[in-house]
């Protein structure tokens, strides 16, 4: 009983905190960072759905993130579509491209899948970089509008943007939560566990893997579209491997295959690396080893570590309870 | 020669082997009997250093060897021929055998000599010397595993279910070979399900059940033990 | 450190121990640029000019409205990434109230321009990207000149001395592409011929032989090259190895003196035309700048350092004229005054005026390599 | 007779792992397959359950040709299986492991998941009910909440049974269900298998434990080098000279 | 025709560099299953050590390379001991992120110690050689010859010597190797040492034709990773073949298709190879 109480209320408390924090901080810069972290975390949730729950590590996600961002950018800047329509279409375009990539890429497994998608990500980067006439090439795409007003609500202050991104992030987390906790999610987990077993249980692994892949590109696309509308300037580097490694780092540090891992990892690393800025040249000298140590001492990520402790604790308490009961009896 | 003193081995919380005592004297053939999962392989892995005992000591020639790394134990003279053979699948038969002589790698002539001996013992291996290990049949792989162990010129050889999955005829040959090896001066500790054959060549035996030793004695004693006849020999 | 948010990030130039101006107030000037990663050297060069200027300014301090001020540069690393630059700018404004933020790459500048008017800071843009000043941002100052000025004299010189065939191998940045888009049509309009045209990505190319072999297959008379000095020099060297005997048009990011440091001698670069290296320039303030730069950093300054140095003095003068150290708008309005009242000995370059879009207009000099030495072009 | 193989053959490169095997599985009986290691037993299972495509031959289920169906379709028809090496999700609870077993009998997709539709809720409930039911049947109800990583070997085997049963199968194929399990526990697993047959399920199993097989099986097929060596009742097999020589050994070996 | 031959040679040069870097990576990946993303940083350190030996200590180029091989080899071993050994039971993704941490650290360290600026490495073999209308430089010829020699030597070492065979044995069956008396920890260290030394050779040979700077590892590492997967992880011939395939695709693609799109051509080719052969050209375990 107490555990339900605490878990539920923790989540509510965190959400409330997320809503009031701008008033506590009163700091535009932190607001900016928090908004960015929310955006990254959506992409990491996408990655987690595929890598963490379905067991396929895609290294093309920075590419899909960029496709989302560029779709929004091109639709608003070049096609002059209304923002909200573009915001809707961008993830759909990402998913369509994701479907094609997924169909072929999912022929491979394990390392080969990882490298295959790494190549795909790199190809996406090269296309964005080289296809000047469409994407603006290295110059990037400038002048992406922020979200258009909805009636009286406008999104041109950092605060309103933060709330917009926060709401989308929460919706995405809710979506992931529901997927993971539904029969679909159980199916993904079964595939990660053992494709052979899943198949023998009558699960169409091909269909479900593709579904998972496409869904994960959807989240990458949403994150990309948000990013475009928030930074309002995008360049090819957002599809580069650096961003991909960032995603991967957020995911692994937070805890792959856990529900809160992406958000924990993203916020931790983003805030950490921002707070190490004062170290100047020494920043990476500290951050690099810190990252490595974190992995060595907690290979399952922060959330994995906490969960293990939690389970140990539970086991102990239940053992104690059992003992107590045995004594009574 | 080898002495296990109240050895316990855990996998996580689960005790696969509990406080067993085993003694092997020089020149003997000693057999471990027991059902699947009784703890024989675990015991072997512990002796050869692949597992660390949770409790107790393993002494070899008077010195403790528990906690030493597997390669040190091989150097001390104990070589294991594992249940799942652990061959190098893409290497040829001859390469596998040469790797078996790894600890004597500086003595080229001795290696050649040993190689010849192994080929004499198992002529089939000579015919297949350039074949990849993974293409051998189960029986041949088992011979190769034993041959590889012999290349190290061990003082004590651990054989974990050498007859597993082999045709009866091959099993017979196998046991004859084991006797040969033993006569040439190698002490042997053997785990077997095929109690009948094993006891017929062994000096003494231990019977495992659920990780404990429940019966020990000379081959004759075990052979005449009714329970054992019923459980393992099926007479 | 995380909880201690009120302490400003310290600049990499230590301010402690300088006994002057203890009662002076501090004006924070922001800098965001690549201080790690492949572009770190570029970032460090730009920052070094600011640091030198900071040091010199703080010897005396400066007075605005009767109050004494010191400068403090707050530098943050953005790894050449637009979003990091934007985050840094937010941070600088929020924590240090910086009225001016420097950024040396077009992506970061564009990202800052999204909100700099709202957040009221001047983007001190070190980029020759034309868009930077054409978007109509009212708080942008573009420091380096646009390259248009080079097109004509470079073409004239190279075509006359070597011939009409040019192979174009600019760096694969927007700046490089724009440069060649401006140069090549002009080259053709003067009767020249473009025999090869591709961009080289210095951050991805291990060896230039492949590209050069193709570029040289139609025997060009002139190679158009440019980008960071050092890889550009490598490109020139390898062109010579492959038997190229013509001249080079070197775009302004690369500096002839820095290229020579790689090639070992000017002979290899014979016939190259490019901007006059700062060390050979003879504006009123160039010499003192070079001396103090060499004293501090133990190497020759490049133009990045020179421009950053110069611009900071102009900003200080503009602040004085505006009578404000924190009103970005006011400072921006008084940039022309700042330019006008710049002391002679700080004129590393001569900035004539600031145009209505915020771009510095300045006279530039070119140099050519003739007979193994740098010579100015008339 | 519920399932029938005709001249079933599987080749891996040069190796013929299963060779022209004709086998009939009798409804509501325990059909056992024995044979030396590498004889092709697991491969035979893999062929029937659609994991491998046969090189030639036919598989008929209730008269219908299922030779080329993929594994998931085979499972939907009511053929369930367990694996030789237990294959479970170690970091999830027993209950969560078993719930997914009923997935193939549900239709809800990810839209249902996101909008938590009535169908999803109903089906989830059904899966959970099914899980509870099979856990009860396999006598695992008391450990439903434990992580699979923390349960014993024998319990894992039972979870594998439960998982197979959750698919509502007509036949279950059990690949060495008692490997690595001690004699006592082997007996209780054997009892469970009997219980399954009593429920009307057809069982086909691979085992090396002769005493258990002789006790449990209605019919036995012996494979050797991929070929059917013999087929018959336990007592027939026990007496078959060829089988004794190739597999059972015993008196032959010690003589 | 002349153009084709010249470009083939250019492809050979660049392919040699790729192959050298990929070799070290494939050893570590194939045998210990560690995707060592910090390999690019080792490459970079290799370039600096050789350079500093030459400029600061006046060492001859060849001596400098030997020192560099030793230093980077040891650095690589330290990495194994302090990072990958403790992580030996974790899945490879964890190794990957840990390696990224090391990469960030080493790059920052190099920048701190040696500055962010581009440096040139002098070479005693700068001569230009014209052969049959081809333009070669001594350095390039040396790159190709050394690469081929090192590859043959490595192959012979693995196949013909006992120590080399232990590496293969460990790749094929780790416990089996343990059981014949091989100290697997030592073999792991040896493997890392060789990988480090190979990175140092690659960097020392390439630097005279490019530049030495903290970010130089990025130039080759991504491609090297792709190469070892295409070639089949752990396969020495695969890494070599993959390196040359990429080298030739780049040089010929740049010549006959488009320089701007040559990277796309190369990567699309790699994707195609994986689409057709999902397990790489040389399937697993070859060495
Ligand atoms: N790695 C492991 N983790 C957990 N439990 C294990 C592990 N290896 C073996 N066990 C368990 O330890 C017990 C003893 O196993 P062991 O392999 O020693 O038996 P054995 O007597 O050799 O059996 P067999 O005749 O089947 O070879 C078994 O219950 C087995 O399930
Ligand atoms: N996917 C595969 N590729 C190649 N050969 C295979 C494959 N699967 C099995 N084999 C080979 O087919 C033969 C039969 O294997 P199978 O697993 O069916 O044996 P089994 O009778 O189940 O043995 P055990 O009692 O040891 O489980 C063996 O020689 C095995 O090596
Ligand atoms: C030469 C520089 C002024 C160009 C700068 N690197 C840019 O990104 O625009
Ligand atoms: Mg065993
Ligand atoms: Mg089997």
């Amino acid at each position: 009983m107490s555990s339900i109480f605490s878990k539920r209320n923790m989540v509510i408390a965190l959400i409330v905190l997320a809503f009031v924090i701008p008033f506590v901080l009163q700091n535009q810069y932190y607001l900016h960072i928090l908004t960015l972290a929310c955006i990254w975390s959506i992409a990491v949730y996408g990655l987690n759905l595929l890598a963490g729950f379905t067991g396929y590590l895609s290294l093309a996600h920075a590419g899909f993130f960029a496709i989302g961002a560029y779709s929004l950018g091109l639709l608003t800047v070049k096609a002059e579509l209304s923002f909200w329509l573009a915001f809707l279409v961008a993830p759909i375009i990402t998913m369509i491209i994701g479907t094609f990539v997924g169909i072929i890429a999912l022929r491979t497994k394990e390392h080969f899948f990882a490298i295959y998608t790494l190549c795909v990500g790199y190809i996406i980067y090269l296309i964005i970089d080289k296809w000047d006439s469409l994407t603006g090439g290295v110059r990037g795409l400038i002048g992406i509008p922020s979200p258009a007003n909805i009636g009286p609500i406008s999104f041109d202050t950092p605060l309103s943007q933060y709330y917009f991104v926060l709401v989308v992030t929460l919706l995405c987390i809710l979506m992931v939560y529901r997927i993971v906790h539904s029969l679909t999610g159980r199916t993904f987990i079964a595939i990660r566990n053992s494709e052979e077993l899943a198949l023998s249980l009558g699960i169409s692994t091909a269909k479900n893997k593709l579904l998972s892949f496409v869904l994960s590109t959807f989240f990458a696309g949403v994150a990309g579209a948000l990013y475009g509308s928030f930074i309002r300037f995008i360049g090819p580097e957002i599809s580069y491997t650096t961003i991909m490694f960032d995603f991967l780092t957020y995911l692994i540090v937070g805890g792959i295959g856990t529900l809160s891992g992406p958000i924990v990892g993203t916020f931790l690393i983003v805030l950490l690396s921002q707070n190490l800025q004062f170290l100047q040249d020494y920043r990476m000298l500290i951050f690099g080893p810190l990252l490595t140590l974190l992995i060595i001492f907690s290979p399952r990520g922060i959330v994995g570590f906490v969960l293990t402790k939690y389970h140990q604790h539970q086991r102990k308490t239940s053992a104690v309870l059992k003992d107590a009961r045995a004594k009574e009896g | 020669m080898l002495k296990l003193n109240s050895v316990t081995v855990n996998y996580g919380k689960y005790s696969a082997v509990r406080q067993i005592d085993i003694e092997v004297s020089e020149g003997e053939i000693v057999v471990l009997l027991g059902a699947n999962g009784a703890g024989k392989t675990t015991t072997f892995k512990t002796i050869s250093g692949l597992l660390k005992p949770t409790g107790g000591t393993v002494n070899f020639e008077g010195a403790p060897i528990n906690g030493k790394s597997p390669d040190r134990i091989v150097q001390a003279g104990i070589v294991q021929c594992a249940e799942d053979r652990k061959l190098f699948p893409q290497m040829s038969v001859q390469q596998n055998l040469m790797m078996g002589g790894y600890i004597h790698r500086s003595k080229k002539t001795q290696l050649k000599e040993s190689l010849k001996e192994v080929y004499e013992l198992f002529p089939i291996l000579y015919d297949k010397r350039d074949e990849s290990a993974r293409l051998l049949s189960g029986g041949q792989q088992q011979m190769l595993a034993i041959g590889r162990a012999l290349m190290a010129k061990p003082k004590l050889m651990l054989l974990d279910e050498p007859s597993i999955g082999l045709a009866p005829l091959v099993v017979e040959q196998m046991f004859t070979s084991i006797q040969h090896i033993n006569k040439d001066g190698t002490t042997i500790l053997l785990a077997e399900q095929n109690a009948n054959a094993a006891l017929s060549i062994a000096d003494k035996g231990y019977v495992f059940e659920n990780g404990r030793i429940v019966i020990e004695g000379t081959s004759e004693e075990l052979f005449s033990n009714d329970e054992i006849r019923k459980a393992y020999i099926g007479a | 450190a995380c909880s201690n948010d009120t302490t400003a990030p310290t600049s990499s130039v230590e301010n402690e121990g300088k006994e002057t101006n203890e009662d002076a107030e501090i004006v924070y000037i922001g800098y965001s640029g690549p201080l790690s990663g492949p572009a770190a050297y570029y970032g460090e060069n730009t920052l070094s000019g600011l640091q030198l200027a900071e040091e010199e300014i703080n010897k005396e301090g400066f007075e605005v409205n009767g109050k004494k001020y010191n400068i403090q540069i707050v530098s943050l690393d953005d790894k050449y990434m637009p979003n990091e630059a934007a985050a840094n700018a937010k941070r600088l404004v929020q924590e240090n109230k910086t009225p001016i933020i420097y950024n040396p790459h077009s992506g970061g500048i564009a990202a800052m321009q999204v909100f700099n008017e709202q957040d009221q800071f001047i983007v001190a843009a070190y980029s020759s990207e034309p868009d930077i000043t054409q978007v109509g941002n009212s708080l942008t100052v573009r420091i380096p000149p646009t390259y248009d000025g080079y097109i004509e004299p470079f073409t004239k010189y190279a075509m006359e001395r070597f011939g009409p065939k040019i192979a174009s191998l600019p760096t694969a940045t927007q700046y490089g592409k724009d440069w060649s888009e401006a140069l090549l049509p002009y080259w053709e309009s003067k009767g020249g011929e473009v025999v090869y045209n591709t961009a080289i990505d210095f951050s991805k190319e291990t060896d230039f032989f492949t590209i050069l072999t193709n570029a040289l297959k139609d025997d060009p008379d002139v190679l158009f090259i440019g980008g960071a000095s050092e890889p550009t020099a490598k490109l020139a060297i390898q062109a010579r190895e492959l038997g190229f005997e013509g001249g080079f048009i070197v775009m302004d990011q690369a500096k002839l003196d820095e290229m020579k440091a790689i090639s070992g001698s000017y002979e290899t670069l014979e016939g190259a035309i490019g901007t006059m290296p700062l060390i050979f320039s003879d504006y009123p303030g160039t010499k003192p700048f070079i001396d103090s730069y060499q004293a501090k950093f133990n190497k020759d300054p490049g133009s990045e350092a020179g421009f950053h140095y110069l611009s900071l003095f102009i900003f200080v003068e503009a602040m004085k004229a505006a009578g404000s150290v924190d009103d970005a708008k006011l400072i921006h309005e008084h940039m022309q005054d700042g330019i006008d009242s710049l002391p002679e000995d700080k004129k590393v370059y001569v900035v004539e005026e600031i145009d209505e879009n915020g771009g510095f207009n300045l006279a530039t000099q070119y140099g050519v390599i003739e007979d193994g030495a740098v010579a100015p072009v008339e | 007779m519920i399932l029938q193989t005709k001249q079933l053959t599987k080749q891996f490169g040069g190796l013929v792992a299963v060779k022209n095997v004709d086998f009939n599985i009798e409804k509501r009986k325990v059909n056992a397959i024995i044979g030396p290691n590498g004889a092709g037993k697991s491969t035979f299972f893999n062929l029937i359950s659609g994991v491998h495509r046969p090189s030639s031959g036919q598989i008929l289920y209730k008269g219908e040709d299922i030779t080329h169906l993929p594994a998931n379709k085979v499972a939907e028809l009511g053929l369930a299986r367990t694996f030789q090496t237990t294959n479970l999700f170690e970091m999830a609870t027993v209950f969560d492991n078993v719930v997914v077993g009923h997935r193939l009998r549900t239709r809800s997709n990810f839209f249902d998941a996101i909008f938590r539709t009535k169908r999803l809720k109903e089906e989830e409930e059904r899966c959970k009910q099914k899980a509870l039911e099979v856990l009860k049947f396999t006598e695992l109800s008391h450990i439903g909440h434990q992580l699979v990583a923390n349960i014993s070997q024998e319990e894992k085997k039972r979870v594998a049974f439960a998982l197979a049963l959750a698919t509502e199968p007509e036949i279950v194929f059990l690949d060495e269900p008692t490997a690595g399990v001690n004699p006592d526990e082997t007996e209780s697993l054997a009892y469970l298998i009997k219980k399954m047959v009593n429920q009307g399920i057809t069982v086909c199993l691979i085992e090396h434990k002769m005493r258990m097989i002789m006790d449990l099986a209605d019919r036995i097929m012996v494979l050797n080098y991929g070929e059917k060596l013999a087929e018959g009742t336990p007592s027939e097999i026990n007496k078959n000279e060829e089988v004794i020589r190739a597999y059972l050994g015993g008196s032959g070996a010690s003589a | 025709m002349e153009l084709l031959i010249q470009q083939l040679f250019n492809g050979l040069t660049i392919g040699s560099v790729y192959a050298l870097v990929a070799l070290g990576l494939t050893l570590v990946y194939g045998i210990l299953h560690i995707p060592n993303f910090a390999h690019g940083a080792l490459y970079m350190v290799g370039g600096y050590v050789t350079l500093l030996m030459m400029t600061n200590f006046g060492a001859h180029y060849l001596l400098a390379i030997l020192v560099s091989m030793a230093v980077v080899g040891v650095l690589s071993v330290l990495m194994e001991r302090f990072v990958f050994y403790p992580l030996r039971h974790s899945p490879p993704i964890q190794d990957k992120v840990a390696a990224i941490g090391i990469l960030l650290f080493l790059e920052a360290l190099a920048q701190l110690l040696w500055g962010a600026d581009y440096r040139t490495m002098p070479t005693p073999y700068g001569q230009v050689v014209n052969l049959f209308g081809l333009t070669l430089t001594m350095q390039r010829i040396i790159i190709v010859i050394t690469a081929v020699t090192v590859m043959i030597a490595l192959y012979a070492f693995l196949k013909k010597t006992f120590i080399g065979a232990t590496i293969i044995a460990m790749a094929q069956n780790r416990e089996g190797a343990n059981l014949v008396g091989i100290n697997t920890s030592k073999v792991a260290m040896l493997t890392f040492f060789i990988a480090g030394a190979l990175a140092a050779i690659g960097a020392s040979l390439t630097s005279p034709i490019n530049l030495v700077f903290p970010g130089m590892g990025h130039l080759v590492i991504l491609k090297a990773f792709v190469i070892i997967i295409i070639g089949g992880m752990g396969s020495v011939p695969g890494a070599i073949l993959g390196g040359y395939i990429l080298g030739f695709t780049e040089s010929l693609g740049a010549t006959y298709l488009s320089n701007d799109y040559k990277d796309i051509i190369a990567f699309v080719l790699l994707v195609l190879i994986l689409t057709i052969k999902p397990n790489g050209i040389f399937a697993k375990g070859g060495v």
Side-chain angles (χ1 to χ4, degrees), chain A residues 25-30 32-33 36 40 122 125-126 129-130 132 136-144 156-158 227 229-235 237-238 240 242-243 246 250 271-281 283-284, chain C residues 1-3 5 8-12 35-36 44 47 74-84 86-88 90-92 94-95 106-108 110-111 114-115 118-119 129-131 135 172-175 177-178 181 199 201 203-204:
Chain A
L25 279 176
Q26 289 289 345
N27 181 320
Q28 295 258 332
Y29 151 70
Y30 272 106
H32 183 90
I33 293 300
L36 260 182
W40 296 136
Y122 195 64
Y125 162 76
L126 288 171
D129 192 60
K130 304 287 181 200
D132 283 34
V138 278
R139 173 183 287 142
L141 211 55
I142 305 175
I144 302 167
D156 43 15
T157 67
Y227 177 88
S229 71
F230 179 60
I231 298 286
R232 299 174 55 197
F233 166 89
I234 48 179
E237 68 282 341
I238 59 169
Y240 200 55
T242 356
I243 301 285
D246 283 349
Y250 300 157
L271 292 180
L272 186 68
S273 66
Q274 286 298 328
N275 275 304
L276 289 177
Q277 273 276 14
F278 75 98
L279 289 167
Q280 301 265 341
D281 299 354
R283 172 154 76 126
M284 287 301 155
Chain C
C2 307
S3 54
D5 283 330
T10 52
S11 113
S12 31
L35 297 174
S36 67
E44 283 185 359
L47 184 57
V74 190
S75 62
L76 295 176
D77 179 16
D78 62 22
K79 301 179 233 161
Y80 220 92
M81 304 242 284
N83 65 303
E84 301 254 341
N88 286 345
K90 289 269 176 196
R91 173 178 198 147
L92 290 164
Q94 191 61 213
E95 297 189 345
S106 52
V114 170
F115 57 89
Q118 194 177 1
D119 286 9
E129 179 71 63
D131 281 359
V135 287
T173 59
Q174 195 58 44
Y175 153 83
K177 288 182 180 168
D178 286 345
E181 267 166 39
D201 191 338
S203 65
K204 298 203 184 70

Side-chain angles (χ1 to χ4, degrees), chain A residues 70-92:
Chain A
Y70 270 91
S71 301
L72 180 91
L74 293 173
L75 289 172
T76 51
V77 175
K78 295 215 167 161
E80 292 180 8
L81 232 60
S82 83
F83 177 86
W84 291 109
L85 190 57
F87 189 74
L88 219 68
V89 176
I92 295 176

Side-chain angles (χ1 to χ4, degrees), chain A residues 5 23 55 63 97 145 151 162 172 232 289 298 300 311:
Chain A
F5 173 80
F23 300 101
I97 297 175
Y162 169 74
C172 285
R232 299 174 55 197
S298 179
R300 295 184 51 234
H311 278 298

Side-chain angles (χ1 to χ4, degrees), chain A residues 127-159:
Chain A
I127 289 175
I128 294 175
D129 192 60
K130 304 287 181 200
W131 196 353
D132 283 34
S133 54
L134 180 74
T135 63
V138 278
R139 173 183 287 142
L141 211 55
I142 305 175
I144 302 167
S146 19
N149 295 359
I150 308 180
I153 316 167
S154 86
F155 295 99
D156 43 15
T157 67
L159 190 65

Side-chain angles (χ1 to χ4, degrees), chain C residues 60-262:
Chain C
E60 312 263 306
F62 63 98
E63 237 171 74
V64 176
N65 277 347
K67 240 185 172 167
K68 207 149 196 195
Y69 290 97
N70 272 359
I71 292 283
Q72 185 169 331
I73 306 290
V74 190
S75 62
L76 295 176
D77 179 16
D78 62 22
K79 301 179 233 161
Y80 220 92
M81 304 242 284
N83 65 303
E84 301 254 341
N88 286 345
K90 289 269 176 196
R91 173 178 198 147
L92 290 164
V93 169
Q94 191 61 213
E95 297 189 345
N96 301 98
K97 312 235 169 334
T98 52
I100 299 162
I101 297 175
Y102 278 85
N103 189 272
H105 50 93
S106 52
I109 293 164
M112 287 183 187
Q113 283 178 333
V114 170
F115 57 89
N116 75 315
E117 288 171 321
Q118 194 177 1
D119 286 9
Q120 307 236 329
F121 64 93
I122 295 174
V123 179
Y126 187 76
S127 170
S128 39
E129 179 71 63
D131 281 359
I132 296 303
T133 36
Q134 273 159 24
V135 287
N137 188 288
S138 65
L139 289 179
T140 295
V141 172
R142 192 201 63 239
I143 301 165
T146 45
Y147 39 75
D148 336 11
Y150 304 116
I151 306 293
E152 193 198 321
F154 284 16
T155 302
K156 191 159 173 282
Y157 177 85
M159 203 181 280
E160 272 173 16
R161 182 166 168 194
F162 294 99
K165 287 206 274 183
I166 193 168
S168 164
L169 300 171
T171 174
T173 59
Q174 195 58 44
Y175 153 83
K177 288 182 180 168
D178 286 345
W179 233 106
S180 59
E181 267 166 39
L183 174 78
L184 299 182
Y186 185 80
W187 181 272
E188 282 174 330
S189 76
K190 291 287 150 194
E193 186 195 346
V194 179
V195 296
Y196 194 76
N197 182 13
T198 197
I200 301 187
D201 191 338
F202 288 125
S203 65
K204 298 203 184 70
E205 221 63 64
T206 322
D207 179 16
F208 310 121
F209 254 41
T210 299
I211 292 172
L212 280 168
T213 304
N214 291 328
L216 297 179
K217 91 186 154 210
D218 289 324
D219 295 319
D221 305 305
V222 179
L223 279 187
F224 170 51
I225 56 176
S229 301
E230 295 79 5
T232 304
K234 274 284 171 194
L235 192 62
I237 297 169
Q238 294 190 3
R240 291 286 188 238
E241 285 174 355
L242 281 168
F244 176 68
E245 283 165 356
F248 298 99
I249 289 180
V250 183
M251 46 206 271
D252 58 339
Q253 191 182 354
K255 314 293 163 1
L256 296 173
D257 58 330
E258 291 169 357
M259 289 172 69
K260 180 213 158 205
I262 300 293

